[in-house]
């Protein structure tokens, strides 16, 4: 009886062991390849690092699951390597173009060591099994890419290729594939719900014919195709907001006639789309362009009156970018002799905004910490208060130096660091000229 009990326990433990994924962990790569060739199987390689949280999640929550272990053990020779130790260093160098991040799971042909399929990121058990089964069924990234590169453009291929790219976490290639396919089709193909939903995440050009087509057919998408209107409007608004921001920023920074003429032509195209459109947020963006037009004409008094009215009307609600840009313009370009009160008014607004930001940062200066001390220094210099101007100029430079140090610490590339230093000198020279410093 005792022997029978021991036998049952032994079989139970053996079953538990087999149900988990059996890995050759950090073993000789030659040994892994030899085993795979001998057993006529593909290699499943888990590429991980010791510091990677999602990698640990796979090891603790996914690979031990019986259904995952049964699938992997029965179809692959499984191995795993820390990409920063031992043979993992060599394998990372060998396959780094196929490892966008950690964890990455590669399916490798042992005969020629080529990548057959890959899955990137923490993946739930059922999704991992489904993705790897696609690979076993020949629905691999390598196969789809080969067909695509040969010129095939069937919708079935595009969908399969995009699905494989999702699993491989290659969103850059997926975007190129989707854009290339949709933009080769007639405009009215966007009335196909499947094609439209495929293209929607990449609809980011407010000047394109496809963007205009969607704006004009918004009701049809909502009521005829039953597409969520909020999703469409969010994408339309994001693209339009980027386009409006570009016009405002470029016209604030440039006096070149050709550049301003180009921005004006772009603005006219946008205004035609914005006028009378029922898209959420479009009226606010039209107001921004209209206010920016007044600013470009240089009429300080009219711009001041409009900004005052906008505090009540709230045609523009952007307290963090658009309005502060207009306030800074007023401080820098209002007449220092006849319009001192206007300068003081906008200085007070910028100063309050800076104080709120300082309070939030709790004294910690990072890459994203607000730094409007330059415009405060410029404003007080224009009002003749050199003491305050110097005080704020010093704060601006101190914060900017910390920001430069933060950037250089983040990006170790020497070329980029040199560019950061050059930009720092350019900005400081420009700033010093505005506050009378040599």
């Amino acid at each position: 009886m005792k022997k029978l009990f021991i036998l049952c326990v032994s079989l139970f433990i053996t079953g538990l062991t087999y149900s988990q994924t059996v890995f050759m962990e950090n073993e000789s790569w030659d040994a892994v390849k030899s085993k795979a060739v001998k057993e006529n199987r593909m290699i499943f390689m888990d590429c991980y690092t010791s510091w990677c949280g999602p990698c640990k999640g796979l090891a603790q929550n996914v690979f031990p699951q019986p259904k995952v272990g049964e699938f992997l053990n029965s179809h692959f020779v499984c191995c795993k390597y820390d990409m920063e130790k031992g043979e993992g260093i060599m394998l990372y160098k060998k396959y780094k173009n196929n490892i966008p991040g950690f964890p990455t799971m590669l399916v490798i042909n042992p005969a020629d060591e080529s990548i057959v399929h890959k899955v990137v990121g923490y993946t739930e058990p059922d999704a991992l099994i489904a993705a790897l089964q696609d690979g076993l069924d020949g629905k691999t990234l390598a196969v789809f890419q080969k067909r695509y590169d040969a010129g095939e453009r069937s919708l079935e291929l595009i969908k399969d290729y995009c699905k494989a790219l999702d699993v491989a976490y290659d969103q850059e290639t997926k975007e190129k594939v989707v854009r290339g396919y949709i933009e080769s089709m007639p405009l009215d193909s966007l009335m196909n719900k499947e094609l439209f939903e495929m293209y929607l995440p990449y609809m980011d050009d407010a000047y394109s014919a496809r963007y205009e087509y969607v704006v004009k057919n918004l009701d049809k998408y909502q009521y005829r195709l039953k597409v969520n209107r909020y999703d469409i409007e969010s994408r339309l608004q994001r693209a339009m907001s980027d386009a409006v921001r570009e016009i405002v920023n470029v016209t604030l920074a440039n006096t070149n006639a050709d550049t301003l003429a180009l921005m004006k032509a772009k603005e006219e195209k946008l205004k035609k789309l914005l006028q009378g459109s029922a898209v959420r947020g479009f009226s606010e963006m039209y107001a921004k362009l209209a206010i920016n037009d007044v600013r470009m004409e240089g009429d300080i008094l009219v711009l001041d009156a409009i900004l005052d009215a906008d505090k009540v009307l709230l045609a523009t609600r952007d307290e963090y970018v658009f309005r502060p840009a207009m306030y800074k313009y007023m401080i820098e370009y209002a007449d220092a002799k006849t319009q001192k009160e206007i300068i003081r008014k906008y200085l007070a607004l910028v100063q309050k905004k800076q104080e709120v930001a300082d309070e939030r940062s709790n004294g910690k200066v990072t890459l994203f910490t607000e730094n409007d001390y330059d415009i405060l220094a410029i404003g007080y210099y224009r009002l003749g208060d050199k003491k305050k101007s110097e005080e704020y100029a010093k704060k601006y430079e101190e914060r900017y130096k910390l920001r430069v140090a933060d950037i250089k610490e983040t990006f170790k590339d020497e070329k980029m660091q040199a560019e950061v230093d050059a930009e720092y000198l350019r900005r400081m020279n420009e700033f010093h000229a505005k506050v009378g410093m040599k």
Side-chain angles (χ1 to χ4, degrees):
M1 190 73 177
K2 185 176 180 182
K3 288 181 179 179
L4 181 60
F5 175 74
I6 293 171
L7 177 62
C8 289
V9 170
S10 176
L11 289 171
F12 177 71
I13 292 172
T14 302
L16 279 180
T17 302
Y18 185 76
S19 69
Q20 297 189 29
T21 307
V22 179
F23 283 105
M24 299 175 71
E25 185 165 3
N26 292 313
E27 293 189 30
S28 161
W29 178 235
D30 286 337
V32 172
K33 287 188 296 179
S34 296
K35 181 176 174 62
V37 169
K38 184 179 178 180
E39 297 180 6
N40 194 27
R41 299 194 204 184
M42 293 289 180
I43 297 168
F44 174 85
M45 183 196 292
D46 172 29
C47 306
Y48 72 94
T49 65
S50 60
W51 46 263
C52 167
C55 300
K56 293 174 183 176
L58 281 177
Q60 294 169 6
N61 306 322
V62 177
F63 295 138
Q65 291 210 14
K67 60 184 173 183
V68 175
E70 183 180 350
F71 181 83
L72 290 175
N73 295 335
S74 61
H75 290 97
F76 303 97
V77 168
C78 300
C79 60
K80 61 192 305 180
Y81 291 92
D82 185 330
M83 294 285 108
E84 297 179 335
K85 295 178 183 176
E87 294 239 318
I89 297 172
M90 175 274 292
L91 289 167
Y92 179 72
K93 289 178 181 177
K94 183 181 183 68
Y95 294 116
K96 65 181 180 180
N97 290 337
N98 288 283
I99 304 175
F102 300 107
T104 291
M105 291 157 278
L106 302 177
V107 176
I108 301 170
N109 184 337
D112 59 7
E113 301 182 59
S114 62
I115 303 295
V116 176
H117 202 44
K118 66 179 175 181
V119 181
V120 179
Y122 180 87
T123 310
E124 294 292 345
D126 289 340
L128 177 59
I129 292 170
L132 293 172
Q133 184 62 59
D134 279 346
L136 293 173
D137 292 341
K139 298 178 180 179
T140 69
L141 183 60
V143 168
F144 296 140
Q145 184 175 336
K146 186 175 181 180
R147 287 168 59 188
Y148 185 83
D149 290 344
E152 184 181 340
R153 291 297 184 272
S154 66
L155 178 57
E156 181 185 6
L157 171 63
I158 297 299
K159 288 159 61 177
D160 285 340
Y161 191 15
C162 286
K163 181 182 176 183
L165 288 167
D166 277 334
V167 170
Y169 211 71
D170 189 349
Q171 294 304 308
E172 184 178 349
T173 301
K174 181 185 176 183
E175 180 176 350
K176 290 178 183 177
V177 170
V178 172
R179 283 186 183 280
Y181 181 74
I182 299 296
E183 290 171 7
S184 70
M185 306 283 281
L187 267 181
D188 59 6
S189 67
L190 287 175
M191 271 299 155
N192 177 301
K193 185 176 182 180
E194 185 176 31
L195 295 183
F196 175 72
E197 290 181 335
M198 184 188 295
Y199 187 61
L200 184 60
Y202 309 111
M203 192 175 62
D204 57 5
D205 181 3
Y207 301 101
S208 72
R210 282 165 184 77
Y211 183 94
E212 183 177 352
Y213 181 85
V214 174
V215 170
K216 291 181 176 179
N217 289 281
L218 185 56
D219 287 342
K220 290 181 181 177
Y221 285 113
Q222 180 181 5
Y223 299 112
R224 186 187 299 177
L225 298 187
K226 307 299 181 185
V227 180
N228 187 303
R229 188 183 183 105
Y230 177 82
D231 292 342
I232 305 173
E233 287 189 321
S234 295
R235 176 55 59 181
L236 291 172
Q237 188 180 26
R238 195 173 303 134
M240 182 61 74
S241 181
D242 288 343
V244 170
R245 188 182 303 113
E246 180 205 25
I247 290 171
V248 173
N249 289 344
V250 171
T251 55
L252 276 166
N254 281 272
T255 56
N256 179 275
D258 290 339
T259 301
L260 295 177
L262 175 62
M263 291 298 108
K264 191 66 180 175
K266 284 188 166 187
E267 180 189 69
E268 291 306 315
K269 183 172 179 63
L270 296 185
K271 279 185 172 179
K272 288 179 182 177
L273 281 176
L274 291 168
Q275 273 181 316
S277 172
V279 178
R280 178 174 50 88
F282 270 26
S283 58
E284 180 178 354
M285 283 180 268
Y286 187 89
K288 287 181 179 179
L289 289 177
I291 292 172
N292 192 55
D293 281 343
V294 174
R295 181 199 62 75
M296 289 175 67
E297 290 168 6
D299 195 327
I300 295 294
L301 293 176
V302 173
L303 182 57
D304 178 42
I306 290 174
L307 291 173
D308 269 345
D310 194 39
K311 291 175 188 175
V312 178
L313 299 173
L314 296 179
T316 64
R317 294 165 290 174
D318 190 348
E319 290 287 353
Y320 297 98
V321 181
F322 180 76
R323 286 185 185 175
M326 296 299 113
Y327 300 164
K328 292 174 185 180
Y329 176 84
M330 299 294 273
I331 291 168
E332 195 164 351
Y333 293 100
D335 191 290
K337 291 181 179 179
T338 63
Q339 297 173 333
K340 283 189 175 183
E341 289 308 310
I342 289 178
I343 296 175
R344 287 194 182 96
K345 176 168 67 175
Y346 291 104
L347 268 175
L349 291 171
V350 173
Q351 192 156 2
K352 183 178 179 181
K353 178 172 171 282
Q354 184 65 58
E355 287 170 357
V356 170
D358 287 349
E359 190 176 336
R360 285 177 181 165
S361 69
N362 200 24
K364 186 178 179 181
V365 179
T366 68
L367 183 62
F368 304 104
T369 302
E370 195 94 21
N371 189 9
D372 285 334
Y373 285 111
D374 57 337
I375 199 66
L376 293 173
I378 292 168
Y380 281 109
Y381 178 78
R382 298 194 71 227
L383 290 174
D385 191 336
K386 291 188 177 180
K387 185 178 179 181
K388 268 194 173 180
S389 178
E390 289 172 2
E391 176 190 338
Y392 289 130
K394 185 178 179 181
K395 284 189 175 183
Y396 173 68
E397 290 191 41
E398 287 173 352
R399 287 206 171 181
Y400 202 96
K401 283 179 182 177
L402 288 171
R403 184 181 182 189
V404 167
D406 198 11
I407 294 172
K408 291 172 76 172
E409 179 64 27
T410 304
F411 302 100
K412 301 291 188 179
D413 181 78
E414 289 184 9
K415 183 179 179 182
M416 181 171 285
Q417 290 189 347
E419 289 175 358
V420 170
D421 286 334
E423 176 65 11
Y424 170 75
L425 289 174
R426 186 193 70 77
R427 285 206 179 192
M428 285 302 112
N429 288 334
E430 188 179 89
F431 171 63
H432 289 161
K434 291 179 178 179
V435 293
M437 297 171 65
K438 293 183 179 179

